[in-house]
Coordinates of all heavy atoms in Angstrom, one line a residue:
M1 N -39.2 104.2 -66.5 CA -39.2 104.9 -65.2 C -40.0 104.1 -64.2 O -41.0 103.6 -64.5 CB -40.0 106.3 -65.5 CG -39.2 107.3 -66.3 SD -37.9 108.1 -65.4 CE -39.0 109.5 -64.8
I2 N -39.5 104.3 -63.0 CA -40.1 103.6 -61.8 C -40.6 104.7 -60.9 O -40.0 105.7 -60.7 CB -39.1 102.7 -61.1 CG1 -38.8 101.4 -62.0 CG2 -39.8 102.2 -59.8 CD1 -37.5 100.7 -61.5
T3 N -41.9 104.5 -60.4 CA -42.4 105.5 -59.5 C -42.8 104.9 -58.2 O -43.4 103.8 -58.2 CB -43.7 106.2 -60.1 OG1 -43.4 106.6 -61.4 CG2 -44.3 107.4 -59.3
C4 N -42.3 105.4 -57.1 CA -42.7 105.0 -55.8 C -43.9 105.5 -55.2 O -44.6 106.3 -55.9 CB -41.6 105.3 -54.8 SG -41.6 106.9 -54.1
A5 N -44.4 105.0 -54.0 CA -45.7 105.5 -53.5 C -45.7 107.0 -53.2 O -46.7 107.6 -53.2 CB -45.7 104.9 -52.1
R6 N -44.5 107.6 -53.2 CA -44.4 109.1 -53.0 C -44.1 109.9 -54.2 O -43.7 111.0 -54.2 CB -43.4 109.5 -51.9 CG -43.7 108.9 -50.6 CD -42.8 109.3 -49.6 NE -43.2 109.0 -48.3 CZ -43.0 109.7 -47.2 NH1 -42.5 110.9 -47.2 NH2 -43.5 109.3 -45.9
Q7 N -44.4 109.2 -55.3 CA -44.3 109.8 -56.7 C -42.9 110.2 -57.0 O -42.6 111.2 -57.8 CB -45.2 111.0 -56.8 CG -46.6 110.8 -56.4 CD -47.3 109.6 -57.3 OE1 -47.3 109.6 -58.5 NE2 -47.9 108.6 -56.5
H8 N -41.9 109.7 -56.5 CA -40.5 109.9 -56.8 C -40.3 109.0 -58.0 O -40.7 107.8 -58.0 CB -39.5 109.5 -55.7 CG -39.8 110.2 -54.4 ND1 -39.7 109.5 -53.3 CD2 -39.9 111.5 -54.2 CE1 -40.0 110.5 -52.3 NE2 -40.0 111.6 -52.8
T9 N -39.6 109.5 -59.0 CA -39.4 108.7 -60.2 C -37.8 108.5 -60.4 O -37.1 109.4 -60.0 CB -40.0 109.3 -61.4 OG1 -39.5 110.6 -61.5 CG2 -41.5 109.4 -61.3
W10 N -37.5 107.4 -60.9 CA -36.1 107.2 -61.2 C -36.1 106.1 -62.4 O -37.1 105.5 -62.6 CB -35.2 106.7 -60.0 CG -35.6 105.3 -59.4 CD1 -34.9 104.2 -59.7 CD2 -36.6 105.1 -58.5 NE1 -35.5 103.2 -59.0 CE2 -36.5 103.7 -58.2 CE3 -37.5 105.9 -57.8 CZ2 -37.4 103.1 -57.3 CZ3 -38.4 105.2 -56.9 CH2 -38.3 103.8 -56.7
T11 N -34.9 106.1 -62.9 CA -34.9 105.2 -64.2 C -34.6 103.8 -63.7 O -34.0 103.6 -62.7 CB -33.9 105.8 -65.1 OG1 -32.5 105.7 -64.5 CG2 -34.1 107.1 -65.6
A12 N -35.0 102.8 -64.6 CA -34.7 101.4 -64.2 C -33.2 101.1 -64.2 O -32.7 100.3 -63.5 CB -35.4 100.6 -65.3
G13 N -32.5 102.0 -64.8 CA -31.1 101.8 -64.9 C -30.4 101.9 -63.5 O -29.5 101.2 -63.1
F14 N -31.0 102.9 -62.8 CA -30.5 103.1 -61.4 C -30.7 101.9 -60.5 O -29.8 101.5 -59.8 CB -31.2 104.3 -60.8 CG -31.1 104.4 -59.4 CD1 -30.0 105.0 -58.8 CD2 -32.1 104.1 -58.5 CE1 -29.8 105.1 -57.4 CE2 -32.0 104.3 -57.1 CZ -30.8 104.7 -56.6
V15 N -31.9 101.3 -60.7 CA -32.2 100.1 -59.9 C -31.2 99.0 -60.2 O -30.8 98.3 -59.3 CB -33.7 99.6 -60.1 CG1 -34.1 98.4 -59.3 CG2 -34.7 100.8 -59.8
A16 N -31.0 98.8 -61.4 CA -30.2 97.7 -61.8 C -28.8 97.9 -61.3 O -28.1 96.9 -60.8 CB -30.0 97.6 -63.4
R17 N -28.2 99.2 -61.4 CA -26.9 99.5 -60.9 C -26.8 99.4 -59.4 O -25.8 98.9 -58.9 CB -26.5 100.9 -61.4 CG -25.1 101.2 -61.4 CD -24.7 102.5 -62.2 NE -25.4 103.6 -61.6 CZ -26.4 104.4 -62.2 NH1 -26.7 104.0 -63.5 NH2 -26.9 105.4 -61.7
E18 N -27.9 99.9 -58.7 CA -27.7 99.9 -57.2 C -28.1 98.6 -56.6 O -27.8 98.2 -55.4 CB -28.6 101.0 -56.6 CG -28.2 102.4 -57.0 CD -26.9 102.8 -56.5 OE1 -26.6 102.5 -55.3 OE2 -26.0 103.5 -57.1
G19 N -28.8 97.8 -57.4 CA -29.2 96.4 -56.9 C -30.4 96.4 -56.0 O -30.5 95.5 -55.2
H20 N -31.2 97.5 -55.9 CA -32.5 97.4 -55.0 C -33.5 98.2 -55.8 O -33.3 99.1 -56.5 CB -32.1 97.9 -53.7 CG -31.7 99.3 -53.5 ND1 -32.6 100.4 -53.6 CD2 -30.5 99.8 -53.4 CE1 -31.9 101.5 -53.5 NE2 -30.6 101.2 -53.5
R21 N -34.8 97.8 -55.4 CA -35.9 98.4 -56.1 C -36.5 99.6 -55.2 O -37.3 100.3 -55.8 CB -37.1 97.4 -56.2 CG -36.6 96.4 -57.3 CD -37.6 95.3 -57.4 NE -37.4 94.4 -58.5 CZ -37.8 94.6 -59.7 NH1 -38.5 95.7 -60.1 NH2 -37.5 93.8 -60.7
W22 N -36.1 99.7 -54.0 CA -36.7 100.6 -53.0 C -36.2 102.0 -53.5 O -35.0 102.2 -53.6 CB -36.5 100.3 -51.6 CG -37.1 101.2 -50.6 CD1 -36.3 102.0 -49.8 CD2 -38.4 101.5 -50.4 NE1 -37.2 102.8 -49.0 CE2 -38.5 102.5 -49.4 CE3 -39.6 100.9 -50.9 CZ2 -39.7 103.0 -48.9 CZ3 -40.8 101.3 -50.4 CH2 -40.9 102.4 -49.4
C23 N -37.1 102.9 -53.4 CA -36.7 104.3 -53.7 C -35.7 104.8 -52.7 O -35.9 104.5 -51.5 CB -38.0 105.2 -53.6 SG -37.8 107.0 -53.7
R24 N -34.6 105.4 -53.1 CA -33.7 105.9 -52.1 C -34.0 107.3 -51.6 O -33.3 107.8 -50.7 CB -32.3 105.9 -52.9 CG -32.1 107.0 -54.0 CD -30.7 107.0 -54.4 NE -30.5 107.9 -55.5 CZ -29.4 108.2 -56.1 NH1 -28.3 107.6 -55.7 NH2 -29.3 109.0 -57.1
I25 N -35.0 108.0 -52.2 CA -35.4 109.2 -51.6 C -36.3 109.2 -50.4 O -36.2 109.8 -49.4 CB -36.1 110.2 -52.8 CG1 -35.2 110.2 -53.9 CG2 -36.6 111.4 -52.2 CD1 -35.8 110.8 -55.1
C26 N -37.2 108.1 -50.4 CA -38.1 107.9 -49.4 C -37.5 107.6 -48.0 O -38.0 108.3 -47.1 CB -39.1 106.6 -49.7 SG -40.5 107.1 -50.8
P27 N -36.6 106.8 -47.9 CA -36.0 106.6 -46.5 C -35.5 108.0 -45.9 O -35.6 108.2 -44.8 CB -34.9 105.6 -46.7 CG -35.2 104.9 -47.9 CD -36.0 105.9 -48.8
E28 N -34.8 108.7 -46.8 CA -34.4 110.0 -46.4 C -35.5 110.9 -45.9 O -35.4 111.7 -45.0 CB -33.6 110.7 -47.5 CG -32.2 110.1 -47.7 CD -31.5 110.6 -48.9 OE1 -31.8 111.7 -49.5 OE2 -30.5 109.9 -49.3
M29 N -36.6 111.0 -46.7 CA -37.7 111.8 -46.4 C -38.4 111.3 -45.2 O -38.9 112.1 -44.3 CB -38.7 111.7 -47.6 CG -38.4 112.6 -48.7 SD -39.7 112.7 -50.0 CE -40.8 113.9 -49.1
I30 N -38.6 110.1 -45.0 CA -39.2 109.5 -43.7 C -38.4 109.9 -42.6 O -38.8 110.3 -41.5 CB -39.4 107.9 -43.9 CG1 -40.5 107.6 -44.9 CG2 -39.7 107.3 -42.5 CD1 -40.4 106.2 -45.4
K31 N -37.1 109.7 -42.7 CA -36.2 110.2 -41.6 C -36.3 111.6 -41.3 O -36.3 112.0 -40.1 CB -34.7 109.9 -42.1 CG -33.9 109.2 -40.9 CD -32.6 108.7 -41.4 CE -31.5 109.7 -41.5 NZ -30.2 109.0 -41.9
R32 N -36.4 112.4 -42.3 CA -36.5 113.9 -42.1 C -37.8 114.2 -41.5 O -37.9 115.0 -40.6 CB -36.3 114.6 -43.4 CG -35.7 116.0 -43.3 CD -35.6 116.7 -44.7 NE -34.9 115.8 -45.6 CZ -35.1 115.9 -47.0 NH1 -35.9 116.7 -47.6 NH2 -34.3 115.2 -47.8
E33 N -38.9 113.6 -41.9 CA -40.2 113.8 -41.4 C -40.2 113.4 -39.9 O -40.9 114.2 -39.2 CB -41.4 113.1 -42.2 CG -41.6 113.9 -43.5 CD -42.5 112.9 -44.5 OE1 -43.0 111.9 -44.0 OE2 -42.6 113.3 -45.7
R34 N -39.7 112.4 -39.7 CA -39.7 111.8 -38.3 C -38.9 112.8 -37.3 O -39.4 113.1 -36.3 CB -39.0 110.5 -38.2 CG -39.6 109.6 -37.1 CD -39.0 108.2 -37.3 NE -39.8 107.3 -38.3 CZ -39.2 106.2 -38.7 NH1 -38.1 105.7 -38.3 NH2 -39.9 105.5 -39.5
K35 N -37.8 113.3 -37.8 CA -37.0 114.2 -37.1 C -37.7 115.6 -37.0 O -37.8 116.2 -35.8 CB -35.7 114.5 -37.9 CG -34.5 115.0 -37.1 CD -33.3 115.3 -37.9 CE -32.4 116.3 -37.2 NZ -31.4 116.8 -38.3
Q36 N -38.5 116.0 -38.0 CA -39.2 117.2 -38.0 C -40.3 117.1 -37.0 O -40.6 118.0 -36.2 CB -39.8 117.5 -39.3 CG -40.0 119.0 -39.7 CD -40.3 119.1 -41.1 OE1 -41.0 118.3 -41.8 NE2 -39.9 120.2 -41.7
K37 N -41.0 115.9 -36.9 CA -42.1 115.8 -36.0 C -41.5 115.8 -34.6 O -42.2 116.4 -33.6 CB -42.7 114.4 -36.3 CG -44.2 114.3 -35.9 CD -44.7 112.9 -36.2 CE -46.1 112.7 -35.4 NZ -46.6 111.4 -35.4
I38 N -40.5 115.2 -34.3 CA -39.8 115.2 -32.9 C -39.5 116.6 -32.6 O -39.7 117.0 -31.5 CB -38.6 114.3 -32.9 CG1 -39.1 112.8 -32.9 CG2 -37.8 114.5 -31.6 CD1 -37.9 111.9 -33.3
E39 N -38.9 117.4 -33.5 CA -38.6 118.7 -33.3 C -39.8 119.6 -33.0 O -39.7 120.5 -32.1 CB -37.8 119.3 -34.4 CG -36.3 118.9 -34.3 CD -35.5 119.3 -35.7 OE1 -36.1 119.9 -36.5 OE2 -34.5 118.8 -35.8
E40 N -40.9 119.3 -33.8 CA -42.1 120.1 -33.5 C -42.7 119.8 -32.2 O -43.1 120.7 -31.5 CB -43.1 119.7 -34.6 CG -43.2 120.5 -35.8 CD -44.0 119.9 -36.9 OE1 -45.0 119.3 -36.6 OE2 -43.7 120.1 -38.1
E41 N -42.5 118.5 -31.7 CA -43.1 118.2 -30.3 C -42.2 118.8 -29.3 O -42.7 119.3 -28.3 CB -43.1 116.6 -30.3 CG -44.4 116.1 -30.9 CD -44.4 114.6 -31.0 OE1 -43.5 113.9 -30.4 OE2 -45.2 114.0 -31.7
Q42 N -40.9 118.8 -29.5 CA -40.0 119.4 -28.6 C -40.3 121.0 -28.5 O -40.3 121.5 -27.5 CB -38.5 119.2 -28.9 CG -38.2 117.8 -28.7 CD -36.7 117.4 -29.1 OE1 -36.2 118.1 -29.9 NE2 -36.1 116.4 -28.5
A43 N -40.4 121.6 -29.7 CA -40.8 123.0 -29.7 C -42.1 123.3 -29.0 O -42.2 124.3 -28.3 CB -40.8 123.5 -31.2
K44 N -43.1 122.5 -29.1 CA -44.4 122.6 -28.5 C -44.2 122.5 -27.0 O -44.7 123.2 -26.2 CB -45.3 121.5 -29.0 CG -46.6 122.1 -29.4 CD -47.6 120.9 -29.9 CE -47.5 120.6 -31.4 NZ -48.3 119.4 -31.7
E45 N -43.4 121.6 -26.6 CA -43.1 121.3 -25.1 C -42.3 122.5 -24.6 O -42.7 123.0 -23.5 CB -42.3 120.0 -25.0 CG -42.1 119.7 -23.6 CD -43.2 119.3 -22.7 OE1 -44.3 119.3 -23.2 OE2 -43.1 119.2 -21.5
R46 N -41.4 123.0 -25.3 CA -40.6 124.2 -24.9 C -41.5 125.4 -24.8 O -41.5 126.2 -23.8 CB -39.5 124.5 -25.9 CG -38.2 123.7 -25.6 CD -37.0 124.4 -26.3 NE -37.2 124.5 -27.8 CZ -36.8 123.5 -28.5 NH1 -36.1 122.4 -28.1 NH2 -37.0 123.7 -29.9
A47 N -42.5 125.5 -25.8 CA -43.5 126.7 -25.7 C -44.3 126.5 -24.5 O -44.6 127.6 -23.8 CB -44.2 126.7 -27.0
R48 N -44.7 125.3 -24.2 CA -45.7 125.1 -23.0 C -44.9 125.4 -21.8 O -45.4 126.1 -20.9 CB -46.0 123.6 -23.0 CG -47.1 123.1 -22.1 CD -47.4 121.8 -22.1 NE -46.3 121.0 -21.4 CZ -46.0 121.1 -20.1 NH1 -46.9 121.6 -19.3 NH2 -45.0 120.4 -19.6
I49 N -43.6 125.0 -21.7 CA -42.9 125.3 -20.4 C -42.6 126.8 -20.3 O -42.8 127.5 -19.2 CB -41.5 124.6 -20.5 CG1 -41.8 123.1 -20.2 CG2 -40.5 125.1 -19.4 CD1 -40.6 122.1 -20.6
A50 N -42.3 127.5 -21.4 CA -42.1 128.9 -21.5 C -43.3 129.6 -21.1 O -43.3 130.7 -20.3 CB -41.7 129.4 -22.9
E51 N -44.5 129.2 -21.5 CA -45.8 129.8 -21.2 C -46.1 129.6 -19.7 O -46.4 130.7 -19.1 CB -46.9 129.2 -22.0 CG -48.3 129.7 -21.8 CD -48.5 131.2 -22.1 OE1 -47.6 131.7 -22.7 OE2 -49.5 131.8 -21.6
A52 N -45.7 128.5 -19.1 CA -46.0 128.3 -17.7 C -45.0 129.1 -16.9 O -45.5 129.7 -15.9 CB -45.7 126.8 -17.5
Q53 N -43.8 129.3 -17.4 CA -42.9 130.1 -16.7 C -43.2 131.5 -16.7 O -43.1 132.3 -15.8 CB -41.5 129.9 -17.3 CG -40.7 128.8 -16.6 CD -39.2 128.6 -17.1 OE1 -39.0 129.1 -18.3 NE2 -38.4 128.0 -16.5
R54 N -43.7 132.0 -17.9 CA -44.1 133.3 -18.1 C -45.3 133.7 -17.2 O -45.3 134.8 -16.6 CB -44.6 133.5 -19.6 CG -44.7 135.0 -20.1 CD -45.4 135.1 -21.4 NE -46.8 134.6 -21.4 CZ -47.8 135.2 -20.8 NH1 -47.5 136.4 -20.3 NH2 -49.0 134.7 -20.9
K55 N -46.3 132.8 -17.0 CA -47.4 133.0 -16.1 C -46.8 133.1 -14.7 O -47.2 133.9 -13.9 CB -48.3 131.8 -16.3 CG -49.3 132.1 -17.4 CD -50.4 130.9 -17.4 CE -51.2 131.0 -18.6 NZ -51.9 129.7 -18.9
M56 N -45.9 132.2 -14.3 CA -45.3 132.2 -13.0 C -44.6 133.5 -12.7 O -44.7 134.0 -11.7 CB -44.3 131.0 -13.0 CG -44.3 130.3 -11.6 SD -43.3 128.8 -11.7 CE -41.7 129.5 -12.0
F57 N -43.8 134.0 -13.8 CA -43.0 135.2 -13.6 C -44.0 136.4 -13.4 O -43.8 137.3 -12.6 CB -42.1 135.5 -14.7 CG -40.8 134.6 -14.6 CD1 -40.4 133.9 -15.6 CD2 -40.1 134.5 -13.4 CE1 -39.2 133.1 -15.6 CE2 -39.0 133.8 -13.3 CZ -38.5 133.0 -14.4
A58 N -45.1 136.3 -14.2 CA -46.0 137.5 -14.3 C -46.7 137.5 -12.9 O -47.0 138.6 -12.3 CB -47.0 137.2 -15.3
Q59 N -47.0 136.4 -12.3 CA -47.7 136.3 -11.0 C -46.7 136.8 -10.0 O -47.2 137.6 -9.1 CB -48.1 134.9 -10.8 CG -49.1 134.8 -9.6 CD -49.4 133.4 -9.3 OE1 -49.0 132.4 -10.0 NE2 -50.2 133.1 -8.2
A60 N -45.5 136.4 -10.1 CA -44.4 136.9 -9.2 C -44.2 138.4 -9.2 O -44.0 139.1 -8.2 CB -43.1 136.1 -9.4
E61 N -44.2 138.8 -10.5 CA -44.0 140.3 -10.8 C -45.2 141.1 -10.2 O -45.0 142.1 -9.7 CB -44.0 140.4 -12.3 CG -43.2 141.7 -12.6 CD -43.0 141.9 -14.2 OE1 -43.9 141.5 -14.9 OE2 -41.9 142.3 -14.5
A62 N -46.5 140.6 -10.4 CA -47.6 141.2 -9.9 C -47.6 141.3 -8.5 O -47.9 142.4 -7.9 CB -48.8 140.4 -10.3
E63 N -47.2 140.2 -7.8 CA -47.0 140.3 -6.3 C -45.9 141.3 -5.8 O -46.1 142.0 -4.9 CB -46.6 138.9 -5.8 CG -47.9 138.0 -5.7 CD -47.5 136.5 -5.6 OE1 -46.4 136.3 -5.1 OE2 -48.4 135.7 -5.8
M64 N -44.8 141.4 -6.7 CA -43.7 142.2 -6.4 C -44.1 143.7 -6.6 O -43.9 144.6 -5.8 CB -42.5 142.0 -7.3 CG -41.2 141.7 -6.6 SD -40.1 141.0 -7.6 CE -40.0 142.1 -9.0
I65 N -44.9 143.9 -7.6 CA -45.5 145.3 -7.9 C -46.4 145.6 -6.8 O -46.3 146.8 -6.3 CB -46.1 145.3 -9.2 CG1 -45.0 145.3 -10.5 CG2 -47.0 146.6 -9.5 CD1 -45.7 144.9 -11.8
G66 N -47.2 144.8 -6.4 CA -48.2 145.0 -5.2 C -47.3 145.5 -4.0 O -47.7 146.5 -3.3
E67 N -46.2 144.9 -3.8 CA -45.4 145.3 -2.6 C -44.7 146.6 -2.9 O -44.6 147.4 -2.0 CB -44.4 144.2 -2.3 CG -44.9 143.0 -1.5 CD -43.9 141.9 -1.5 OE1 -42.8 142.0 -1.6 OE2 -44.4 140.7 -1.4
E68 N -44.3 146.8 -4.1 CA -43.7 148.1 -4.5 C -44.6 149.3 -4.4 O -44.3 150.3 -4.0 CB -43.2 148.0 -6.0 CG -41.8 147.5 -6.1 CD -41.3 147.3 -7.5 OE1 -42.0 147.9 -8.4 OE2 -40.4 146.4 -7.9
V69 N -45.9 149.0 -4.7 CA -46.9 150.0 -4.7 C -47.0 150.5 -3.3 O -47.0 151.7 -2.8 CB -48.3 149.5 -5.1 CG1 -49.4 150.5 -4.8 CG2 -48.2 149.3 -6.7
K70 N -47.0 149.5 -2.3 CA -47.0 149.8 -0.9 C -45.9 150.7 -0.4 O -46.0 151.7 0.2 CB -47.0 148.6 0.0 CG -48.4 147.9 0.0 CD -48.3 146.6 0.9 CE -49.4 145.6 0.4 NZ -48.9 144.3 0.7
E71 N -44.7 150.3 -1.0 CA -43.5 151.1 -0.6 C -43.5 152.4 -1.3 O -43.1 153.5 -0.7 CB -42.2 150.3 -1.2 CG -41.7 149.2 -0.3 CD -40.7 148.4 -0.9 OE1 -39.9 148.9 -1.6 OE2 -40.6 147.2 -0.6
T72 N -44.1 152.5 -2.5 CA -44.1 153.9 -3.2 C -45.1 154.8 -2.4 O -44.8 155.9 -2.2 CB -44.6 153.6 -4.6 OG1 -43.9 152.7 -5.2 CG2 -44.4 154.9 -5.4
E73 N -46.1 154.2 -1.9 CA -47.1 155.0 -1.2 C -46.5 155.7 0.1 O -46.7 156.9 0.3 CB -48.3 154.1 -0.8 CG -49.3 154.0 -2.0 CD -50.4 153.0 -1.6 OE1 -50.3 152.3 -0.5 OE2 -51.2 152.7 -2.5
T74 N -45.7 154.8 0.8 CA -45.0 155.4 1.9 C -44.1 156.4 1.5 O -43.9 157.4 2.2 CB -44.5 154.3 2.7 OG1 -43.6 153.6 1.9 CG2 -45.5 153.4 3.4
T75 N -43.3 156.2 0.4 CA -42.3 157.1 0.0 C -43.0 158.3 -0.5 O -42.4 159.5 -0.2 CB -41.5 156.5 -1.3 OG1 -41.1 155.1 -1.0 CG2 -40.2 157.3 -1.6
T76 N -44.0 158.3 -1.1 CA -44.8 159.5 -1.6 C -45.2 160.4 -0.4 O -45.0 161.6 -0.4 CB -46.0 159.1 -2.5 OG1 -45.7 158.2 -3.4 CG2 -46.6 160.3 -3.1
V77 N -45.7 159.7 0.6 CA -46.1 160.5 1.8 C -44.9 161.1 2.5 O -45.0 162.3 2.8 CB -46.8 159.4 2.8 CG1 -46.9 160.1 4.1 CG2 -48.0 158.9 2.2
R78 N -43.8 160.4 2.4 CA -42.6 161.0 3.1 C -42.0 162.2 2.3 O -41.6 163.2 2.8 CB -41.4 159.8 3.1 CG -40.5 160.1 4.3 CD -39.7 158.8 4.6 NE -39.1 158.2 3.4 CZ -39.2 156.9 3.2 NH1 -39.7 156.1 4.1 NH2 -38.6 156.4 2.2
D79 N -42.2 162.1 0.9 CA -41.7 163.1 0.0 C -42.6 164.4 0.2 O -42.1 165.5 0.2 CB -41.7 162.7 -1.5 CG -40.6 161.7 -1.8 OD1 -39.7 161.6 -1.1 OD2 -40.7 161.0 -2.9
A80 N -43.9 164.1 0.4 CA -44.8 165.2 0.5 C -44.6 166.0 1.8 O -44.7 167.2 1.9 CB -46.2 164.6 0.6
E81 N -44.0 165.3 2.8 CA -43.8 166.0 4.1 C -42.6 166.9 4.0 O -42.5 167.8 4.7 CB -43.6 164.9 5.2 CG -44.9 164.2 5.6 CD -44.7 163.0 6.5 OE1 -43.5 162.6 6.7 OE2 -45.7 162.5 7.0
T82 N -41.6 166.4 3.2 CA -40.4 167.2 3.0 C -40.4 168.3 2.0 O -41.3 168.9 1.7 CB -39.1 166.4 2.6 OG1 -39.6 165.5 1.5 CG2 -38.5 165.6 3.8
Ligands
LIG101 ZN1 -39.7 107.6 -52.9

């Protein structure tokens, strides 16, 4: 049995047949981990943008509500008169 740095084990027969000593699981894992890290960073960036947009929309909404309140106040006065 041969064990790599990541504790993957395979039989010596595999090495002889494939003609290389390097673990064939490790490159796939490294590739997957790298991809996962990139995806995590992209997700983090998306979350950051989404949060910034949410704040922007919340601010815009608050300003809009502020204007709506003014409109509602005048409407209420008009309704009270009728
Ligand atoms: Zn390995």
Side-chain angles (χ1 to χ4, degrees):
M1 288 283 271
I2 295 164
T3 309
C4 80
R6 291 183 176 224
Q7 309 301 310
H8 302 133
T9 55
W10 65 96
T11 59
F14 165 76
V15 176
R17 197 164 61 245
E18 297 294 319
H20 61 82
R21 288 176 176 274
W22 182 246
C23 171
R24 66 171 176 177
I25 301 165
C26 278
E28 285 173 18
M29 282 192 73
I30 289 163
K31 218 165 92 179
R32 209 180 307 153
E33 280 170 11
R34 213 173 275 165
K35 202 180 155 197
Q36 208 170 34
K37 208 181 165 192
I38 289 165
E39 279 171 6
E40 270 172 30
E41 278 168 14
Q42 283 176 340
K44 232 182 272 175
E45 181 65 8
R46 274 200 299 271
R48 196 185 63 76
I49 291 165
E51 176 66 13
Q53 272 186 339
R54 197 189 61 76
K55 277 183 187 164
M56 214 169 66
F57 282 132
Q59 199 184 349
E61 201 177 37
E63 283 169 11
M64 231 163 60
I65 287 164
E67 283 170 21
E68 270 176 24
V69 168
K70 280 181 215 155
E71 279 174 29
T72 311
E73 277 169 2
T74 52
T75 311
T76 310
V77 170
R78 207 163 48 224
D79 286 345
E81 284 171 353
T82 44

